[in-house]
PDB file of all heavy atoms in Angstrom:
ATOM      1  N   PHE A  14     -43.419  -8.313  -9.809  1.00 62.00           N
ATOM      2  CA  PHE A  14     -43.222  -9.532  -9.043  1.00 62.00           C
ATOM      3  C   PHE A  14     -43.298  -9.188  -7.544  1.00 62.00           C
ATOM      4  O   PHE A  14     -42.598  -8.262  -7.072  1.00 62.00           O
ATOM      5  CB  PHE A  14     -41.876 -10.167  -9.387  1.00 62.00           C
ATOM      6  CG  PHE A  14     -41.793 -10.622 -10.808  1.00 62.00           C
ATOM      7  CD1 PHE A  14     -41.207  -9.811 -11.778  1.00 62.00           C
ATOM      8  CD2 PHE A  14     -42.322 -11.860 -11.193  1.00 62.00           C
ATOM      9  CE1 PHE A  14     -41.116 -10.219 -13.090  1.00 62.00           C
ATOM     10  CE2 PHE A  14     -42.255 -12.263 -12.500  1.00 62.00           C
ATOM     11  CZ  PHE A  14     -41.661 -11.436 -13.471  1.00 62.00           C
ATOM     12  N   LYS A  15     -44.055  -9.892  -6.855  1.00 71.00           N
ATOM     13  CA  LYS A  15     -44.176  -9.681  -5.406  1.00 71.00           C
ATOM     14  C   LYS A  15     -43.074 -10.476  -4.680  1.00 71.00           C
ATOM     15  O   LYS A  15     -42.838 -11.625  -4.977  1.00 71.00           O
ATOM     16  CB  LYS A  15     -45.562 -10.133  -4.916  1.00 71.00           C
ATOM     17  CG  LYS A  15     -46.700  -9.269  -5.457  1.00 71.00           C
ATOM     18  CD  LYS A  15     -48.045  -9.739  -4.892  1.00 71.00           C
ATOM     19  CE  LYS A  15     -49.199  -8.886  -5.414  1.00 71.00           C
ATOM     20  NZ  LYS A  15     -50.506  -9.327  -4.869  1.00 71.00           N
ATOM     21  N   ILE A  16     -42.496  -9.762  -3.770  1.00 72.00           N
ATOM     22  CA  ILE A  16     -41.437 -10.410  -2.982  1.00 72.00           C
ATOM     23  C   ILE A  16     -42.022 -10.851  -1.638  1.00 72.00           C
ATOM     24  O   ILE A  16     -42.664 -10.073  -0.923  1.00 72.00           O
ATOM     25  CB  ILE A  16     -40.262  -9.435  -2.738  1.00 72.00           C
ATOM     26  CG1 ILE A  16     -39.676  -8.969  -4.074  1.00 72.00           C
ATOM     27  CG2 ILE A  16     -39.169 -10.077  -1.864  1.00 72.00           C
ATOM     28  CD1 ILE A  16     -38.579  -7.956  -3.932  1.00 72.00           C
ATOM     29  N   SER A  17     -41.830 -12.096  -1.346  1.00 77.00           N
ATOM     30  CA  SER A  17     -42.401 -12.647  -0.101  1.00 77.00           C
ATOM     31  C   SER A  17     -41.601 -12.117   1.090  1.00 77.00           C
ATOM     32  O   SER A  17     -40.471 -11.664   0.974  1.00 77.00           O
ATOM     33  CB  SER A  17     -42.325 -14.181  -0.169  1.00 77.00           C
ATOM     34  OG  SER A  17     -40.964 -14.585  -0.192  1.00 77.00           O
ATOM     35  N   PRO A  18     -42.233 -12.148   2.267  1.00 76.00           N
ATOM     36  CA  PRO A  18     -41.526 -11.696   3.472  1.00 76.00           C
ATOM     37  C   PRO A  18     -40.234 -12.441   3.731  1.00 76.00           C
ATOM     38  O   PRO A  18     -39.237 -11.859   4.204  1.00 76.00           O
ATOM     39  CB  PRO A  18     -42.574 -11.955   4.597  1.00 76.00           C
ATOM     40  CG  PRO A  18     -43.892 -11.908   3.905  1.00 76.00           C
ATOM     41  CD  PRO A  18     -43.628 -12.487   2.551  1.00 76.00           C
ATOM     42  N   GLY A  19     -40.203 -13.737   3.391  1.00 78.00           N
ATOM     43  CA  GLY A  19     -38.948 -14.480   3.568  1.00 78.00           C
ATOM     44  C   GLY A  19     -37.852 -13.990   2.695  1.00 78.00           C
ATOM     45  O   GLY A  19     -36.682 -13.885   3.124  1.00 78.00           O
ATOM     46  N   GLU A  20     -38.168 -13.670   1.405  1.00 80.00           N
ATOM     47  CA  GLU A  20     -37.162 -13.130   0.494  1.00 80.00           C
ATOM     48  C   GLU A  20     -36.672 -11.770   0.948  1.00 80.00           C
ATOM     49  O   GLU A  20     -35.477 -11.454   0.828  1.00 80.00           O
ATOM     50  CB  GLU A  20     -37.720 -13.057  -0.918  1.00 80.00           C
ATOM     51  CG  GLU A  20     -37.996 -14.442  -1.548  1.00 80.00           C
ATOM     52  CD  GLU A  20     -38.636 -14.325  -2.902  1.00 80.00           C
ATOM     53  OE1 GLU A  20     -39.285 -13.281  -3.151  1.00 80.00           O
ATOM     54  OE2 GLU A  20     -38.464 -15.253  -3.727  1.00 80.00           O
ATOM     55  N   LYS A  21     -37.601 -10.937   1.464  1.00 81.00           N
ATOM     56  CA  LYS A  21     -37.188  -9.639   1.988  1.00 81.00           C
ATOM     57  C   LYS A  21     -36.211  -9.777   3.146  1.00 81.00           C
ATOM     58  O   LYS A  21     -35.218  -9.058   3.243  1.00 81.00           O
ATOM     59  CB  LYS A  21     -38.419  -8.827   2.410  1.00 81.00           C
ATOM     60  CG  LYS A  21     -39.297  -8.367   1.284  1.00 81.00           C
ATOM     61  CD  LYS A  21     -40.476  -7.549   1.846  1.00 81.00           C
ATOM     62  CE  LYS A  21     -41.383  -7.060   0.677  1.00 81.00           C
ATOM     63  NZ  LYS A  21     -42.536  -6.275   1.172  1.00 81.00           N
ATOM     64  N   ALA A  22     -36.511 -10.726   4.012  1.00 85.00           N
ATOM     65  CA  ALA A  22     -35.613 -10.946   5.167  1.00 85.00           C
ATOM     66  C   ALA A  22     -34.257 -11.414   4.707  1.00 85.00           C
ATOM     67  O   ALA A  22     -33.221 -10.974   5.210  1.00 85.00           O
ATOM     68  CB  ALA A  22     -36.240 -11.997   6.102  1.00 85.00           C
ATOM     69  N   ILE A  23     -34.208 -12.290   3.691  1.00 86.00           N
ATOM     70  CA  ILE A  23     -32.928 -12.773   3.164  1.00 86.00           C
ATOM     71  C   ILE A  23     -32.149 -11.618   2.547  1.00 86.00           C
ATOM     72  O   ILE A  23     -30.924 -11.499   2.707  1.00 86.00           O
ATOM     73  CB  ILE A  23     -33.153 -13.905   2.144  1.00 86.00           C
ATOM     74  CG1 ILE A  23     -33.718 -15.148   2.860  1.00 86.00           C
ATOM     75  CG2 ILE A  23     -31.869 -14.263   1.404  1.00 86.00           C
ATOM     76  CD1 ILE A  23     -34.078 -16.267   1.940  1.00 86.00           C
ATOM     77  N   ASN A  24     -32.857 -10.764   1.801  1.00 86.00           N
ATOM     78  CA  ASN A  24     -32.164  -9.587   1.173  1.00 86.00           C
ATOM     79  C   ASN A  24     -31.597  -8.664   2.232  1.00 86.00           C
ATOM     80  O   ASN A  24     -30.447  -8.204   2.104  1.00 86.00           O
ATOM     81  CB  ASN A  24     -33.162  -8.833   0.321  1.00 86.00           C
ATOM     82  CG  ASN A  24     -33.564  -9.585  -0.946  1.00 86.00           C
ATOM     83  OD1 ASN A  24     -32.826 -10.469  -1.400  1.00 86.00           O
ATOM     84  ND2 ASN A  24     -34.687  -9.254  -1.530  1.00 86.00           N
ATOM     85  N   VAL A  25     -32.359  -8.417   3.300  1.00 88.00           N
ATOM     86  CA  VAL A  25     -31.865  -7.537   4.347  1.00 88.00           C
ATOM     87  C   VAL A  25     -30.642  -8.153   5.027  1.00 88.00           C
ATOM     88  O   VAL A  25     -29.629  -7.468   5.270  1.00 88.00           O
ATOM     89  CB  VAL A  25     -32.982  -7.277   5.395  1.00 88.00           C
ATOM     90  CG1 VAL A  25     -32.405  -6.550   6.612  1.00 88.00           C
ATOM     91  CG2 VAL A  25     -34.115  -6.452   4.762  1.00 88.00           C
TER      92      VAL A  25
END
Side-chain angles (χ1 to χ4, degrees):
F14 297 96
K15 294 182 179 180
I16 302 177
S17 64
E20 292 177 335
K21 290 182 179 179
I23 292 175
N24 289 338
V25 171

